[in-house]
Amino acid sequence: IPSHALGKQYIVSSYRETADFVSQSLTPYVSIVGVYDKTQVTFSFGGNPESIIIDADHGDRVIQPGGTMTATLNRGDDWLIATEAAYSDLGGSMVRANKPVAVISGNHCADVPTGVAACDVLIEQEYPMTSWGRKYHVTPIGGRKISSELRLFAKEVGTHFYRDYQNETQDQAYWVN
């Protein structure tokens, strides 16, 4: 995404850890890249109850879902955050900055779907929340027997999700402003 289209608020959509973290680790991560000097960034951890992050910059402090971390980034700085637990997740984490940043999420070796050994490399540059639309259409991929896996995140209270025009509202959204 060109720098003029970057934003100050993002919700991370990385694919979850699909391994037990004992025999192997398929860690999800998020990379926050500074575009301007002296950018103040706050990372609010979403995830699931099994998730933890080890904050090595602050004495190996353990961050659990709901916790926050902060950093100051200069142009070209990359703040890489990864989970450190079995079946952990960064999905639903919130990135807020006082200046535009780039946010890239991914997984270096994911099993998609879970339980099917594949070691898929997943990486995606996130869209800032200001560019989110109101309607998205997902079509099946030709030749697939199973439909695509989708992750849905809401940025506003009262958001409704529909599948084939049927209301699929979740009782709990990942993040709400």
Side-chain angles (χ1 to χ4, degrees), residues 43 52-63 68-71 79-84:
F43 177 83
I52 63 167
I53 295 170
I54 306 298
D55 185 359
D57 292 336
H58 295 94
D60 290 339
R61 177 176 67 124
V62 174
I63 308 294
T68 61
M69 302 183 333
T70 60
W79 184 19
L80 183 64
I81 301 167
T83 60
E84 295 287 337

Side-chain angles (χ1 to χ4, degrees), residues 34-110:
V35 179
Y36 302 100
D37 289 338
K38 298 179 183 173
T39 302
Q40 303 298 316
V41 181
T42 300
F43 177 83
S44 301
F45 190 16
N48 59 31
E50 293 81 28
S51 303
I52 63 167
I53 295 170
I54 306 298
D55 185 359
D57 292 336
H58 295 94
D60 290 339
R61 177 176 67 124
V62 174
I63 308 294
Q64 296 178 324
T68 61
M69 302 183 333
T70 60
T72 301
L73 301 179
N74 289 315
R75 184 174 186 222
D77 286 350
D78 181 20
W79 184 19
L80 183 64
I81 301 167
T83 60
E84 295 287 337
Y87 309 109
S88 59
D89 193 0
L90 284 171
S93 296
M94 174 81 71
V95 175
R96 289 190 170 119
N98 68 334
K99 299 176 186 177
V101 293
V103 176
I104 300 162
S105 69
N107 191 311
H108 70 277
C109 181

Side-chain angles (χ1 to χ4, degrees), residues 2-166:
S3 60
H4 71 271
L6 297 175
K8 298 177 186 178
Q9 291 188 343
Y10 295 83
I11 294 179
V12 175
S13 64
S14 65
Y15 197 72
R16 69 194 173 283
E17 165 82 61
T18 56
D20 59 14
F21 216 74
V22 175
S23 60
Q24 63 180 342
S25 169
L26 309 176
T27 306
Y29 62 85
V30 62
S31 177
I32 305 165
V33 182
V35 179
Y36 302 100
D37 289 338
K38 298 179 183 173
T39 302
Q40 303 298 316
V41 181
T42 300
F43 177 83
S44 301
F45 190 16
N48 59 31
E50 293 81 28
S51 303
I52 63 167
I53 295 170
I54 306 298
D55 185 359
D57 292 336
H58 295 94
D60 290 339
R61 177 176 67 124
V62 174
I63 308 294
Q64 296 178 324
T68 61
M69 302 183 333
T70 60
T72 301
L73 301 179
N74 289 315
R75 184 174 186 222
D77 286 350
D78 181 20
W79 184 19
L80 183 64
I81 301 167
T83 60
E84 295 287 337
Y87 309 109
S88 59
D89 193 0
L90 284 171
S93 296
M94 174 81 71
V95 175
R96 289 190 170 119
N98 68 334
K99 299 176 186 177
V101 293
V103 176
I104 300 162
S105 69
N107 191 311
H108 70 277
C109 181
D111 290 343
V112 181
T114 301
V116 176
C119 199
D120 296 311
V121 174
L122 306 174
I123 187 166
E124 181 173 11
Q125 185 164 359
E126 303 286 0
Y127 287 102
M129 291 169 61
T130 55
S131 70
W132 286 14
R134 295 181 50 93
K135 294 181 181 180
Y136 293 89
H137 300 275
V138 179
T139 58
I141 297 173
R144 283 213 177 156
K145 296 177 183 176
I146 300 173
S147 62
S148 298
E149 186 167 325
L150 301 176
R151 300 196 80 185
L152 305 174
F153 300 95
K155 68 176 181 178
E156 297 173 359
V157 174
T159 298
H160 296 270
F161 299 103
Y162 294 88
R163 180 177 180 173
D164 297 331
Y165 302 101
Q166 300 298 314

